[in-house]
Amino acid sequence: MDAVRVALLREVLAGTEWPGATRRFAGALRASVLPHGGGLLLVGTREYEPWHLAAHLVDEAAWSGTPELTPTLVRHRPRPDAPAQLSVGLGRIEAARRGETLLVVAPTAPPAGLLSRVHDARRAGAAVFALGERDGDLGALAHESLTVPDAAGLDLDTVQHLVSAAAGENSLPAQRGRRRLRDRLSRLADQLTAPPPSRW
């Protein structure tokens, strides 16, 4: 989803909790990875691997000049012949330590084995973030969580778009009074998608 579509989505959702909630969650995620130079681990469930979110975070990391947002996708069943970036298994969560951030995306309740690994990572000092459609044991383990209830009128994929876009936003002023290209494009998109002023 490009910047113009995200701006349109935020406009549609204006007046709801979602623009603010996703920005707060993304801001906390960004604040967790920046001081440690990265260390973002991204994992889903056996049935749902968050490929889409991983790709968007890679894009946002590049566009915002924030490589720390680039995640390591942790997979439940990595193939032995897969490229290095696609062959990271659940053992990586067991190795997580202080200074690393674990983002768990779970549309359904995660299995006990994954919850156990997340609990161990938290005890070892990793920051745990949870994004899902149901609150429960995962939300209780997480330092930060964002739940997308069935009644929200949004799906988990849409919320992931909002979170990844917000994570890449540069809130600090650019040096020498010049804005980064990404910020200028975002501002332009907001202006282009704004409703025309009322003449009455």
Side-chain angles (χ1 to χ4, degrees), residues 53-160:
L53 180 57
H56 281 293
L57 285 171
V58 168
D59 289 344
E60 292 295 336
W63 292 335
S64 66
T66 314
E68 296 88 352
L69 289 172
T70 302
T72 297
L73 181 62
V74 178
R75 306 181 65 199
H76 288 258
R77 296 178 300 253
R79 291 175 39 186
D81 60 341
Q85 71 271 20
L86 300 177
S87 61
V88 178
L90 292 175
R92 181 62 183 87
I93 296 175
E94 295 169 7
R97 295 292 177 257
R98 184 172 306 282
E100 293 184 301
T101 302
L102 175 60
L103 172 56
V104 184
V105 181
T108 58
L114 178 58
L115 287 174
S116 176
R117 286 181 167 96
V118 171
H119 180 261
D120 290 345
R122 180 182 167 124
R123 287 184 61 199
V128 177
F129 285 70
L131 181 58
E133 293 180 349
R134 289 176 177 78
D135 207 358
D137 292 336
L138 178 59
L141 279 176
H143 295 94
E144 296 284 342
S145 64
L146 182 59
T147 304
V148 187
D150 292 335
L154 293 176
D155 61 13
L156 185 58
D157 286 338
T158 301
V159 172
Q160 289 178 69

